[in-house]
């Protein structure tokens, strides 16, 4: 026994476990020991899906479950796994419990090393016994499965001709159940005329031991329960059972075999049988009809030598996978050599019957698939051509590609694509196959209205038809009287575009597959021509819509829309109506030439007039009518039939019409909607431009008024104020009066108001030029020019920003002045940078200190602050909470910030005062 014996030794003494493993592996090299320290670990090892043990050796006394409990758990998992209780605790009670639990062996630990030899012998004996028993069980199971599931009847008889065993298949073959046959004479299954011969042969053999026939395949008739005879093939064998002679017969009904043989010989497919080396054992007669080989010539030949060299390796690999059992009934396509040296495409399905008695071969069913492969090859090439058709850009490129495809795929060397002329009276060649000029004196063109029997009449009939026309022999085609070099032809209409003529000079040149390919190719050609036309229209429409934006007025936009609809999209009857408030409705602003020629003068469509245009305008939804004669339309009876109306937003509508019903399709609607959207966009832009122009004019007037106001303030108010201030100074020289101080104060406030008003009037302009400015420097400069009394200033976190320095100075001065006016003479003012670490580092421990991600700066004080209810009004002109304030300082702050594109907001300072934050500034490098 050469297999490894895997042993799991469970013992809580690691030293003892190690020495035991060493001695066991030394005693028998086949033994491989793995150890576990307790029963729980041992069970985990057993539950490991990758672990597989042949025997378990276990101690009894261990922490946790003892050896008996371990044994019981093992038996729940595997009742047959050998288990040897190897313990130092020897007692009858332990032995009794172990035996009751199903222990395989029991061995008490001793003091010497002899115990390991004994233990090794018992381990090997238990493992080998288990393996032998398992093998015997498998053998019995296999034999039982074979007999129970065999399609052949298996019968065992004794020397007295009595049936001792019959498998279930006998009932299918003879009509008797196995139980009905056992103990009966075998002659009940033999026709009466053959019974005596059978008895004599059996007796003679039992006496002499001489066989009168080959027992491997005996042809012999059987008798069914209902009396009819069955042709049988029987294989005999002899064995001994408990000293008695027994004979076994494997019986097969060969009726189907005979039928199958007849079927194989008459089959249109090739049926061959190969041996394991790939040599022909048999070839059916059909091989001669398909490949031209005589079946007898193939027998004994190496089958794969007939396979095309490029396919041979692949076919042999498939054959070998079936021989080895890796693949059952493989199917393979390949090329097989014909008797004339050419190759035919075939498909073979193999069936491994090498082990089947009577066949002993690899049976192959082969059919000719040359036509299918040719069809697949054509369809494959068609896919490549149609992919190219999806990428064409022009009509010439598209049609020539389709003609080349027809020539290359189906051999249609006289093909051509003929498109309807612009006038609609001829099918003119757009692309022709290369060989056409050599067969036709001039390019074939088909005029409408030619008499019956001509090629032109046949072409127009096919163009107007719904189905393609396929003719295999034009010479014998009665509807055609005119001579033509073409013999085979397929005429396929290409939608409204024209006709695809697929033809050959050979009669019956096109198969059903070729006709199908012509249909598929034509469908793709039609789709490609539709796409090319659509893309061309889109490109021209794109150019046309760009010109709409350049129009100077609504009227010019309307004129260009009509021009695009007519010249680009091909719509003849086009009217653009725009809403006119004075007219109270939709006024026709631009119309196409066809409108002037075919329709009465256009009127204004008002809400109550029942116009389809007004309905589309009012609902904002486009409408398309196949025939306005079927609806209540104003233009009914004018000759107009098809109508499409698309709204232009709030501006008006485009109405597009034709004199034929049902003219417009989805593409027309799509392109018209693109045009209407572009027109609406242009009209919106024109309206916006008009509004901007009006606003610009109004702003200029406002700026003129502001300039006038500033002039009045600076000259007409400041001059009298200067005179009044001078008079007060002269009056002080003549008298001393408290009234003069009050007048001087009033003059000073008037001067401040005038200065703020001038500043405010001049702040409306947006800053046009900026430069890098250092915030700290601006703040320090402002501190020197503003009356600050005993106020204090601190600057936190310097900042470089882009600004108009003089206007930034106005903003800071007004914020500082506002802090002093409202916070008191000793107010503390802090200026710093906003954003990230700069703000957080300089914020101190105040309650309002929170780092911000915004970029900017702040000015805050520790004064009384600004109530939340007033913060929304402090930037209003004239708002002030003190009698001394003008109410314009913070308004100036807001306007300076807005002129820079900044934002300013008010929050509570860290010490409870007011905090102004200016954000949105652009940082600058130093």
């Amino acid at each position: 026994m050469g297999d490894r014996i895997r042993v799991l030794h469970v013992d809580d003494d690691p030293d003892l476990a190690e020495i035991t493993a060493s001695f066991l592996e030394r005693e028998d090299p086949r033994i491989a020991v793995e150890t576990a320290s307790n029963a729980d670990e041992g069970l985990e090892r057993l539950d490991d899906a990758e672990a597989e043990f042949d025997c378990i050796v276990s101690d009894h006394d261990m922490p946790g479950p003892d050896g008996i409990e371990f044994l019981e758990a093992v038996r729940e998992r595997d009742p047959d796994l050998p288990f040897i209780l190897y313990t130092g605790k020897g007692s009858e009670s332990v032995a009794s419990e172990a035996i009751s639990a199903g222990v395989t062996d029991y061995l008490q630990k001793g003091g010497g090393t002899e115990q390991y030899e004994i233990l090794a012998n018992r381990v090997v004996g238990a493992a080998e016994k288990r393996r032998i028993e398992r093998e015997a069980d498998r053998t019995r199971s296999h034999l039982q499965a074979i007999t129970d599931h065999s399609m052949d009847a298996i019968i065992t008889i004794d020397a007295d001709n009595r049936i001792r065993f019959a498998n279930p298949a006998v009932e299918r073959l003879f009509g008797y159940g196995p139980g009905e046959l056992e103990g009966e004479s075998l002659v009940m299954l033999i026709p009466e005329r053959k019974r005596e011969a059978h008895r004599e042969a059996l007796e003679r053999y039992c006496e002499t031991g001489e066989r009168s026939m080959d027992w491997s395949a005996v042809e012999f008739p059987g008798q069914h329960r209902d009396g009819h005879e069955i042709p049988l093939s029987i294989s005999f064998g002899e064995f001994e059972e408990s000293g008695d002679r027994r004979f076994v017969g494997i019986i097969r009904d060969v009726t189907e075999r005979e039928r199958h043989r007849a079927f194989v010989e008459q089959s249109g497919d090739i049926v061959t049988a190969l041996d394991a080396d790939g040599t022909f054992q048999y070839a059916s007669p059909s091989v001669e009809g398909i490949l031209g080989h005589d079946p007898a010539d193939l027998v004994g030949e190496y089958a794969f030598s007939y396979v095309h060299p490029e396919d041979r390796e692949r076919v042999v690999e498939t054959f070998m996978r079936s021989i080895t059992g890796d693949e059952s009934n493989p199917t393979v396509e390949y090329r097989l050599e014909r008797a004339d040296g050419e190759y035919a495409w075939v498909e073979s399905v193999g069936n491994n019957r090498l082990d089947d008695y009577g066949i002993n071969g690899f049976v192959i069913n082969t059919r000719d698939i040359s036509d299918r492969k040719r069809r697949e090859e054509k369809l494959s090439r068609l896919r490549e051509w149609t992919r190219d058709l999806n990428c064409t850009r022009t009509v010439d490129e598209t049609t020539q590609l389709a003609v080349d495809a027809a020539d290359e795929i189906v051999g249609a060397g006289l093909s051509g694509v003929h498109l309807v002329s612009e006038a609609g009276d001829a099918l003119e060649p757009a692309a022709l196959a290369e060989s056409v000029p050599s067969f036709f004196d001039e390019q074939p063109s088909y005029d409408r209205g030619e008499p019956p029997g001509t090629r032109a009449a046949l072409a127009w009939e096919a163009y107007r038809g719904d189905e393609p026309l396929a003719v295999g022999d034009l010479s014998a085609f009665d509807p055609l009287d005119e001579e033509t070099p073409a013999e085979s032809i397929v005429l396929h209409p290409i939608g409204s575009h024209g006709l695809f003529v697929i033809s050959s000079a050979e009669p019956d040149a096109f198969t059903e597959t070729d006709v199908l390919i012509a249909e598929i190719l034509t469908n793709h050609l039609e789709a490609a021509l539709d796409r090319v036309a659509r893309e061309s229209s889109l490109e021209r429409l794109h150019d046309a819509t760009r010109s709409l934006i350049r129009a100077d007025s609504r009227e010019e936009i309307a004129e260009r829309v009509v021009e695009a609809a007519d010249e680009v999209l091909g719509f003849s009857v086009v009217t653009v109506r725009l809403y006119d408030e004075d007219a109270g409705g939709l006024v026709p602003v631009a119309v196409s030439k066809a409108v002037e020629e075919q329709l009465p003068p256009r009127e204004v469509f008002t809400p109550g007039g029942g116009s389809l245009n007004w309905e589309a305008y009012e609902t904002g939804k486009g409408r398309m009518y196949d025939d306005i004669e079927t609806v209540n339309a104003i233009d009914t009876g004018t000759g107009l039939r098809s109508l499409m109306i698309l709204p232009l937003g709030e501006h008006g509508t485009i109405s597009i019409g034709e004199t034929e019903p049902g003219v417009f399709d989805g593409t027309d609607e799509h392109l018209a909607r693109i045009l209407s959207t572009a027109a609406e966009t242009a009209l919106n832009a024109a309206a916006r431009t008009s509004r901007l122009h009006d606003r610009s004019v109004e702003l200029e007037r406002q700026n003129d008024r502001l300039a006038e106001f500033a002039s009045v303030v600076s000259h007409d108010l400041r001059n009298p104020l200067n005179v009044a201030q001078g008079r007060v100074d002269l009056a002080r020289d003549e008298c001393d009066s408290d009234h003069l101080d009050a007048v001087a104060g009033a003059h000073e406030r008037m001067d401040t108001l005038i200065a703020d008003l001038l500043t405010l009037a001049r702040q409306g302009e947006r800053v046009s030029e900026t430069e890098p400015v250092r915030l700290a420097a601006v703040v320090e400069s402002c501190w020197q020019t503003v009356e600050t009394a005993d106020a204090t200033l601190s600057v936190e976190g310097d900042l470089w920003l882009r600004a108009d320095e003089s206007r930034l100075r106005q903003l800071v001065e007004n914020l500082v002045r506002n802090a002093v006016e409202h916070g008191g003479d000793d107010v503390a003012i802090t200026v710093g940078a906003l954003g990230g670490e700069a703000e957080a580092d300089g914020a101190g421990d105040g309650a309002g200190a929170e780092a911000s991600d915004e970029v900017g700066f702040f000015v805050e004080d520790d004064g009384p602050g600004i109530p939340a209810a007033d913060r929304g009004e402090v930037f209003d002109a004239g708002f002030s909470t003190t009698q001394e304030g003008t109410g314009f300082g913070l308004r100036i702050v807001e306007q300076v910030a807005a002129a820079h594109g900044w934002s300013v907001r008010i929050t509570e300072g860290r010490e409870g005062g007011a905090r102004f934050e200016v954000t949105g500034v652009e940082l600058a490098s130093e």
Side-chain angles (χ1 to χ4, degrees), residues 629-710:
E629 293 293 339
T630 63
V631 297
N632 186 22
I634 291 177
D635 286 327
T636 298
T638 61
L640 191 65
R641 303 295 293 275
S642 298
L643 181 64
M644 179 166 36
I645 305 174
L646 298 173
L648 301 174
E650 64 181 14
H651 305 287
T653 63
I654 301 176
S655 59
I656 300 168
E658 296 293 342
T659 57
E660 296 291 331
V663 169
F664 302 127
D665 57 17
T667 300
D668 294 327
E669 183 181 7
H670 176 70
L671 295 174
R673 286 187 181 277
I674 293 176
L675 179 60
S676 68
T677 301
E680 182 180 351
T681 302
L683 290 167
N684 287 338
R688 187 163 53 250
T689 300
S690 177
R691 289 193 296 270
L692 289 174
H693 175 73
D694 294 343
R695 177 61 177 163
S696 177
V697 172
E698 178 62 25
L699 286 175
E700 288 181 5
R701 287 197 295 267
Q702 290 180 4
N703 288 337
D704 291 342
R705 289 196 295 270
L706 283 173
E708 182 181 357
F709 169 75

Side-chain angles (χ1 to χ4, degrees), residues 326-342:
D326 294 335
E327 183 177 358
S328 60
N329 301 326
T331 301
V332 61
E333 295 180 0
Y334 59 100
R335 287 161 289 181
L336 198 58
E337 187 177 5
R338 305 169 61 96
D340 60 6
E342 297 296 325

Side-chain angles (χ1 to χ4, degrees), residues 561-576 590-599 639-644 654-660 663-664 668 675:
V561 167
V562 170
E563 182 180 343
D566 185 3
E567 298 181 2
V568 177
L569 303 183
F571 300 140
S572 57
V573 181
V574 185
T575 301
V576 174
V591 298
S592 64
K593 185 177 181 181
V595 172
E596 298 173 346
E597 295 174 350
Q598 294 182 234
L599 300 179
L640 191 65
R641 303 295 293 275
S642 298
L643 181 64
M644 179 166 36
I654 301 176
S655 59
I656 300 168
E658 296 293 342
T659 57
E660 296 291 331
V663 169
F664 302 127
D668 294 327
L675 179 60

Side-chain angles (χ1 to χ4, degrees), residues 100-262:
S100 299
V103 75
T104 305
D105 209 340
Y106 177 87
L107 182 63
Q108 188 172 353
K109 298 176 182 177
T113 60
E114 296 83 359
Q115 59 180 326
Y116 299 116
E117 181 180 357
I118 297 171
L119 179 59
N121 290 334
R122 294 190 179 183
V123 166
V124 172
E128 288 184 341
K129 180 183 177 184
R130 186 188 191 218
R131 288 179 176 176
I132 291 171
E133 290 174 348
R134 282 190 166 184
E135 186 63 31
D137 289 341
R138 280 196 294 269
T139 301
R140 283 193 295 271
S141 297
H142 289 165
L143 290 175
Q144 185 67 42
I146 290 170
T147 57
D148 287 348
H149 297 91
S150 173
M151 295 298 293
D152 296 334
I154 301 175
I155 295 177
T156 301
I157 64 172
D158 59 20
D160 295 329
N161 214 27
R162 294 288 171 185
I163 298 173
R164 295 297 180 181
F165 169 80
N167 72 338
V170 297
E171 185 167 7
R172 178 184 60 79
L173 190 58
F174 294 104
Y176 297 100
E180 296 178 89
L181 292 178
E182 291 174 2
E184 298 294 332
S185 174
L186 181 63
V187 297
M188 68 182 298
L189 302 179
I190 300 174
E192 187 172 352
R193 61 188 174 84
K194 292 286 187 180
R195 290 175 184 174
E196 186 61 31
H198 166 71
R199 275 194 295 264
E200 290 176 357
L202 181 59
E203 289 174 0
R204 184 171 54 252
Y205 175 75
C206 290
E207 291 174 1
T208 66
E210 295 180 0
R211 301 180 182 180
S212 60
M213 64 184 72
D214 182 8
W215 282 16
S216 63
V218 179
E219 300 288 337
F220 199 82
Q223 180 172 288
H224 192 271
R225 185 173 194 162
D226 61 12
H228 78 271
E229 291 190 9
I230 313 163
L232 302 174
S233 175
I234 308 172
S235 298
F236 291 110
E238 182 180 1
F239 66 98
E240 189 175 295
E241 183 179 61
S242 302
D244 296 326
R245 299 178 79 175
R246 296 285 186 266
F247 301 94
V248 61
I250 301 175
I251 308 169
R252 176 173 299 172
D253 184 351
V254 295
T255 304
E256 290 300 321
R257 187 185 70 186
E258 296 302 318
R259 291 176 182 170
H260 181 68
R261 177 180 298 160

Side-chain angles (χ1 to χ4, degrees), residues 522-810:
T522 304
N523 291 337
H524 280 276
L525 172 60
E526 180 180 353
L529 289 173
D530 287 342
R531 175 184 52 76
V532 168
R534 185 167 57 250
E535 290 175 354
S536 176
S537 295
L538 282 172
E539 290 178 2
R540 290 185 293 129
L541 182 60
H542 177 65
D543 294 337
T545 54
R546 281 188 299 185
S547 70
L548 296 179
I549 302 299
R550 298 191 294 270
D552 294 330
S553 65
R554 296 200 321 161
E555 291 72 20
E556 186 176 353
I557 292 172
E559 292 289 347
R560 294 189 180 185
V561 167
V562 170
E563 182 180 343
D566 185 3
E567 298 181 2
V568 177
L569 303 183
F571 300 140
S572 57
V573 181
V574 185
T575 301
V576 174
R577 297 174 177 274
L578 299 180
Y579 181 75
D580 188 317
E581 187 174 357
D582 294 335
L586 297 172
V587 176
V589 176
V591 298
S592 64
K593 185 177 181 181
V595 172
E596 298 173 346
E597 295 174 350
Q598 294 182 234
L599 300 179
R602 302 287 81 192
E603 58 186 72
V604 177
F605 290 152
T606 57
S611 164
L612 298 178
N613 268 268
W614 184 264
E615 179 185 354
Y617 171 72
E618 190 173 43
T619 61
K621 296 180 180 179
R623 296 285 190 270
M624 188 162 67
Y625 305 93
D626 289 337
D627 191 351
I628 64 171
E629 293 293 339
T630 63
V631 297
N632 186 22
I634 291 177
D635 286 327
T636 298
T638 61
L640 191 65
R641 303 295 293 275
S642 298
L643 181 64
M644 179 166 36
I645 305 174
L646 298 173
L648 301 174
E650 64 181 14
H651 305 287
T653 63
I654 301 176
S655 59
I656 300 168
E658 296 293 342
T659 57
E660 296 291 331
V663 169
F664 302 127
D665 57 17
T667 300
D668 294 327
E669 183 181 7
H670 176 70
L671 295 174
R673 286 187 181 277
I674 293 176
L675 179 60
S676 68
T677 301
E680 182 180 351
T681 302
L683 290 167
N684 287 338
R688 187 163 53 250
T689 300
S690 177
R691 289 193 296 270
L692 289 174
H693 175 73
D694 294 343
R695 177 61 177 163
S696 177
V697 172
E698 178 62 25
L699 286 175
E700 288 181 5
R701 287 197 295 267
Q702 290 180 4
N703 288 337
D704 291 342
R705 289 196 295 270
L706 283 173
E708 182 181 357
F709 169 75
S711 175
V712 170
V713 170
S714 63
H715 183 269
D716 295 349
L717 290 182
R718 209 177 265 286
N719 286 347
L721 179 60
N722 290 339
V723 172
Q725 289 174 327
R727 292 291 185 180
V728 170
D729 289 341
L730 293 173
R732 288 185 188 279
D733 294 337
E734 296 178 1
C735 64
D736 186 13
S737 170
D738 292 339
H739 293 295
L740 293 177
D741 292 336
V743 172
H747 288 165
E748 184 177 353
R749 177 164 176 75
M750 290 174 64
D751 187 51
T752 301
L753 279 170
I754 291 171
D756 284 350
L757 284 171
L758 285 173
T759 300
L760 196 62
R762 292 166 179 162
Q763 294 306 312
E765 298 178 2
R766 187 167 185 83
V767 171
S768 58
E769 294 184 6
T770 61
E771 60 183 343
V773 178
R774 185 184 177 194
L775 178 65
V778 171
V779 172
E780 293 292 346
S781 176
C782 292
W783 189 258
Q784 302 299 322
T785 60
V786 176
E787 184 65 39
T788 57
D790 296 328
T792 60
L793 171 70
S794 62
V795 179
E796 299 176 351
D798 201 1
L799 178 72
W800 280 85
L801 69 156
R802 296 197 65 85
D804 181 323
E805 184 174 356
S806 64
R807 300 188 71 176
L808 175 62
R809 188 184 302 277
Q810 291 175 345

Side-chain angles (χ1 to χ4, degrees), residues 146-410:
I146 290 170
T147 57
D148 287 348
H149 297 91
S150 173
M151 295 298 293
D152 296 334
I154 301 175
I155 295 177
T156 301
I157 64 172
D158 59 20
D160 295 329
N161 214 27
R162 294 288 171 185
I163 298 173
R164 295 297 180 181
F165 169 80
N167 72 338
V170 297
E171 185 167 7
R172 178 184 60 79
L173 190 58
F174 294 104
Y176 297 100
E180 296 178 89
L181 292 178
E182 291 174 2
E184 298 294 332
S185 174
L186 181 63
V187 297
M188 68 182 298
L189 302 179
I190 300 174
E192 187 172 352
R193 61 188 174 84
K194 292 286 187 180
R195 290 175 184 174
E196 186 61 31
H198 166 71
R199 275 194 295 264
E200 290 176 357
L202 181 59
E203 289 174 0
R204 184 171 54 252
Y205 175 75
C206 290
E207 291 174 1
T208 66
E210 295 180 0
R211 301 180 182 180
S212 60
M213 64 184 72
D214 182 8
W215 282 16
S216 63
V218 179
E219 300 288 337
F220 199 82
Q223 180 172 288
H224 192 271
R225 185 173 194 162
D226 61 12
H228 78 271
E229 291 190 9
I230 313 163
L232 302 174
S233 175
I234 308 172
S235 298
F236 291 110
E238 182 180 1
F239 66 98
E240 189 175 295
E241 183 179 61
S242 302
D244 296 326
R245 299 178 79 175
R246 296 285 186 266
F247 301 94
V248 61
I250 301 175
I251 308 169
R252 176 173 299 172
D253 184 351
V254 295
T255 304
E256 290 300 321
R257 187 185 70 186
E258 296 302 318
R259 291 176 182 170
H260 181 68
R261 177 180 298 160
F263 171 77
V264 167
E265 292 178 353
Q266 298 300 320
S267 173
D269 292 344
I270 301 172
V271 180
T272 54
L274 313 183
D275 62 17
D277 296 327
T279 301
F280 281 119
Q281 293 178 322
Y282 169 81
S284 66
S286 55
V287 71
E288 186 169 7
I290 295 177
L291 298 176
H293 298 291
D294 188 325
D297 293 342
L298 295 180
V299 176
E301 294 285 318
Y302 182 58
F304 300 111
S305 65
Y306 291 87
V307 177
H308 193 286
E310 295 179 2
D311 303 333
R312 189 172 300 151
E313 182 178 356
R314 174 171 53 87
V315 175
V316 171
E317 288 178 355
T318 304
F319 174 74
M320 294 307 300
R321 285 200 302 273
S322 179
I323 294 295
T324 58
D326 294 335
E327 183 177 358
S328 60
N329 301 326
T331 301
V332 61
E333 295 180 0
Y334 59 100
R335 287 161 289 181
L336 198 58
E337 187 177 5
R338 305 169 61 96
D340 60 6
E342 297 296 325
Y343 285 89
W345 272 101
V346 298
E347 177 186 66
S348 292
V349 180
N351 187 4
N352 188 347
R353 307 293 294 275
L354 291 167
D355 297 329
D356 285 7
Y357 176 77
I359 298 179
N360 304 116
F362 190 83
V363 180
I364 302 174
N365 188 286
T366 302
R367 65 178 51 187
D368 187 353
I369 60 169
S370 299
D371 289 342
R372 192 186 81 191
K373 294 300 288 188
R374 282 191 291 268
R375 181 168 61 252
E376 290 176 354
E377 182 184 0
K378 288 183 178 181
L379 291 174
S380 176
R381 284 184 286 163
L382 176 63
R383 283 192 292 270
E384 296 175 4
W385 284 98
T386 53
R387 278 198 299 267
D388 292 341
L389 275 175
N390 292 332
C391 302
T392 54
R393 300 298 303 274
T394 65
V395 172
D396 290 344
E397 180 187 5
T398 303
T399 54
Q400 190 61 55
L401 192 67
V403 169
D404 292 343
D407 189 4
E408 196 269 342
I409 298 173
V410 301

